Structures are given as structure tokens and as C-alpha cells.
């Protein structure tokens, strides 16, 4: 399976001209992995920015996510075709099940089989999941096989390290993508992270991203500012010591930022 580029560009909350600018700036600066979702309401703008960038399709890695309304066997593939139309692509690189079906109204087996069918039909090169509990991931593996699951995208940052989910995925050889890796900007004001940043002549965002990258996670920070997009790429050149990694590990405080009322019973 082709590797998921380790540092991608998030697009949650970004709409209209703001998302066009962010994706355009990101592509100019060298980002090649763009993370969108049906529910973000920005796939058309992401598609436009990609088309206008002139970056060859073969260099890009585009992820979208199937919204919970579209998890039924009759809806998933048509909804993905609509996403492709908006994105102006014939195939996305990765399609994620965005959330397990609220209250498990639709069974894991149904939507995992549908996304596997989408892959077989060439609509997506790879498939994966997001916001799954370990029980959901177990079921997904039983339906499609662990080797089919290219990544599990979950909230991971210094204040919510999601260790049970990370351990379970690792036991089964499943790659992880850390979403909200900057804790939506909160890492900037943490004194421990600030001190480590100062030692490396870096900034706290770079430290938080390096901390996640060093654990083997892909990261998908977002920014509306070109300067921040550029500086976040600097995380790829930052190596933290074992002591620094351990100091950040101690910042765990169960601070979950993405917790909608339809979320599953978290591990
Ligand atoms: N699968 C899911 O359910 C799920 C859920 C949430 C998010 N996601 C994905 O993960 C991506 C990242 O999450 P997120 O966008 O919510 O949060 P995030 O990346 O953790 O944080 C973004 C915030 O950090 C600020 N920021 C970024 N770089 C900075 C820097 N260098 N210095 C200072 N501030 C900086 C941004 O402000 P500025 O704009 O001012 O730079 C923005 O307010 C999303 O865009 C989305 O693609 C997925």
C-alpha cells in the first residue's frame, strides 16, 4: 500500500475563500496530503484549489470521509461519487468512515463492506476508519481484514493521547493518523512544550507535531495562515530527545475536544 504522507493539511472548519487559500498555500509550500470530509462542506473548494494548483495528480494524496448519513449500503458509493465530482477527481487516495454509525444503527459490517466495494470499483485507492472504538475496529477488521485498513484517524495531541486506542491499533499493525494534533492551538500556551521549543529554537506547534510524528503517526494540522502552514512543515526536521518525549507524555489529561453527542462510548 502506498504510504500516507506523514504531514498533511487539515481543512475542518475552513470554508469558501479561506479553504481555497489554505489549500493553495499548502500546495505551494510543499504539502501533498489534503484531508477533507463530506461534512466539512468544502470538497468543491478543495477540488478547485487542487485543480488550479497545477500539482500533478500522481503527487497528491487526497482523503475524504463518509458522513454518518451516508453509511447505508445504498448510500455510501453514490455519496463517494458525489465527493469525487466535487473534488474533480476520478479516485481519492483514501476514504475514511468518519464516525461509527450513531447508536450503531447501521452495522459496521454493512458500511465496511460498502467501502471495500468502493475500493474494488476504483473510487478510492485505500480505505480506513476514524473515531472508532476498539470494539468497532475489531469488527471492522473481522469484515475486511486488518491489512485493508490503511489508517485509523483519531484525536491525538499531548492532552489526549488516546493510549488504549493506539495500543490496540498497533497490536494489529494498523497505522494511526493524529487529528487535532495542535489541540486546536492549545499546545501553543503549554509551559512544558514552550520550554522544549525554546531549547530547539522551534515553536510549540512544531514540538507537538514532532512528538506525534516520532511515534509513527501521520499528522494533519490546519491553519488559515500561510506563515503557520510553512512553519508547521518544520516539524519534519525536529527530533525530540527521549526525555522530551517523556515530558510531553506526562501532559495527558483526558482533554477530548471532538466529542459530539453522537460519539461512541470512548475507550
Ligand atoms: N476525523 C475527525 O473526526 C476529525 C475531527 C477533527 C479534525 N479532523 C482533521 O484534523 C485537522 C486538524 O484539526 P483542527 O484543524 O481541528 O485542529 P489543529 O490542527 O489541532 O489546530 C488548528 C488551530 O491551530 C492554529 N495553528 C495552526 N498552526 C499554528 C501555528 N504554527 N502557530 C499557532 N497556531 C497555529 C490554527 O490557527 P490559525 O488558522 O490562526 O493558524 C487553528 O486555530 C482538521 O482540519 C481535520 O482535517 C478530523
Amino acid at each position: 500500500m502506498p504510504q500516507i504522507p506523514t504531514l498533511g493539511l487539515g481543512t475542518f472548519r475552513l470554508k469558501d475563500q479561506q479553504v481555497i487559500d489554505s489549500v493553495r498555500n499548502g500546495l505551494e509550500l510543499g504539502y501533498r496530503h489534503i484531508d477533507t470530509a463530506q461534512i466539512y462542506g468544502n470538497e468543491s473548494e478543495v477540488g478547485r484549489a487542487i485543480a488550479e494548483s497545477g500539482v500533478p495528480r500522481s503527487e497528491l494524496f487526497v482523503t475524504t470521509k463518509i458522513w454518518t448519513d451516508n453509511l447505508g449500503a445504498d448510500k455510501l458509493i453514490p455519496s463517494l461519487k458525489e465527493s469525487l465530482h466535487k473534488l474533480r477527481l476520478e479516485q481519492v487516495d483514501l476514504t475514511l468512515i468518519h464516525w461509527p454509525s450513531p447508536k450503531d444503527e447501521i452495522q459496521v459490517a454493512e458500511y465496511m463492506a460498502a467501502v471495500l466495494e468502493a475500493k474494488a470499483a476504483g473510487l478510492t485507492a485505500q480505505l480506513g476508519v476514524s473515531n472508532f472504538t476498539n470494539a468497532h475496529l475489531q469488527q471492522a477488521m473481522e469484515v475486511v481484514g486488518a491489512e485493508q485498513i490503511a489508517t485509523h484517524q483519531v484525536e491525538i495531541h499531548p492532552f489526549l493521547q488516546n493510549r488504549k486506542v493506539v495500543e490496540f491499533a498497533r497490536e494489529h499493525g494498523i497505522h494511526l493518523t493524529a487529528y487535532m494534533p495542535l489541540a486546536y492551538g492549545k499546545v501553543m500556551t503549554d509551559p512544558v512544550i514552550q520550554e522544549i521549543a525554546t531549547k530547539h529554537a522551534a515553536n510549540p506547534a512544531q514540538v507537538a507535531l514532532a512528538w506525534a510524528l516520532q511515534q509513527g503517526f501521520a499528522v494533519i494540522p490546519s491553519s488559515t495562515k500561510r506563515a503557520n502552514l510553512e512553519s508547521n512543515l518544520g516539524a519534519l526536521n525536529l527530533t525530540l530527545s527521549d526525555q522530551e518525549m517523556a515530558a510531553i507524555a506526562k501532559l495527558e489529561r483526558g482533554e477530548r475536544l471532538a466529542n459530539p453527542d453522537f460519539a461512541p462510548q470512548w475507550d
Side-chain angles (χ1 to χ4, degrees):
M1 264 191 304
Q3 288 269 323
I4 298 174
T6 54
L7 205 155
L9 180 76
T11 65
F12 179 36
R13 295 185 206 84
L14 306 185
K15 295 253 162 73
D16 306 320
Q17 194 58 41
Q18 204 167 45
V19 76
I20 294 173
D21 291 344
S22 185
V23 173
R24 183 200 296 125
N25 281 324
L27 293 174
E28 277 175 19
L29 292 165
Y31 286 81
R32 290 294 179 264
H33 167 186
I34 314 287
D35 181 90
T36 182
Q38 293 175 339
I39 195 67
Y40 298 171
N42 62 17
E43 287 174 310
S44 299
E45 290 75 15
V46 168
R48 184 180 143 194
I50 288 173
E52 289 175 359
S53 74
V55 175
R57 175 66 186 98
S58 59
E59 287 184 20
L60 284 173
F61 190 97
V62 181
T63 302
T64 196
K65 313 186 195 80
I66 305 292
W67 188 239
T68 56
D69 292 346
N70 297 328
L71 292 176
D74 55 334
K75 295 212 178 104
L76 192 146
I77 286 184
S79 82
L80 182 55
K81 285 184 177 163
E82 197 182 322
S83 292
L84 291 173
H85 176 73
K86 289 179 179 165
L87 287 163
R88 307 188 197 183
L89 300 175
E90 291 187 354
Q91 181 187 62
V92 279
D93 298 276
L94 177 63
T95 298
L96 303 180
I97 300 296
H98 203 156
W99 290 85
S101 176
K103 299 192 183 131
D104 293 317
E105 240 161 55
I106 300 172
Q107 296 298 302
V108 174
E110 181 170 338
Y111 48 80
M112 291 311 296
V115 73
L116 188 62
E117 198 185 321
K119 182 181 167 189
L123 304 175
T124 186
Q126 300 189 58
L127 60 88
V129 300
S130 178
N131 297 303
F132 273 30
T133 64
N134 289 347
H136 286 107
L137 189 59
Q138 177 69 44
Q139 289 177 58
M141 289 188 294
E142 283 163 15
V143 180
V144 298
E147 71 290 349
Q148 283 288 350
I149 302 174
T151 198
H152 185 193
Q153 185 181 122
V154 287
E155 180 174 341
I156 297 179
H157 47 72
F159 315 130
L160 180 80
Q161 301 186 15
N162 237 327
R163 290 198 183 113
K164 282 188 190 162
V165 168
V166 169
E167 268 168 38
F168 187 75
R170 280 191 175 146
E171 259 170 45
H172 295 279
I174 293 177
H175 173 267
L176 289 143
T177 300
Y179 79 61
M180 284 187 172
L182 306 176
Y184 197 54
K186 284 192 184 185
V187 298
M188 300 307 292
T189 53
D190 184 272
V192 172
I193 299 176
Q194 283 176 339
E195 195 186 319
I196 295 171
T198 305
K199 272 196 217 146
H200 288 272
N203 66 44
Q206 291 169 330
V207 171
L209 296 174
W211 170 81
L213 289 167
Q214 250 169 268
Q215 295 173 78
F217 310 144
V219 291
I220 45 171
S222 78
S223 176
T224 55
K225 302 194 177 80
R226 187 179 167 104
N228 286 349
L229 289 171
E230 184 166 21
S231 115
N232 291 347
L233 285 174
L236 292 168
N237 306 317
L238 179 61
T239 306
L240 305 179
S241 69
D242 291 346
Q243 291 93 318
E244 289 165 339
M245 292 293 288
I248 300 173
K250 287 200 193 120
L251 300 178
E252 166 66 51
R253 57 187 190 217
E255 188 172 351
R256 193 180 290 281
L257 301 174
N259 199 10
D261 55 9
F262 58 82
Q265 192 81 45
W266 298 112
D267 291 296

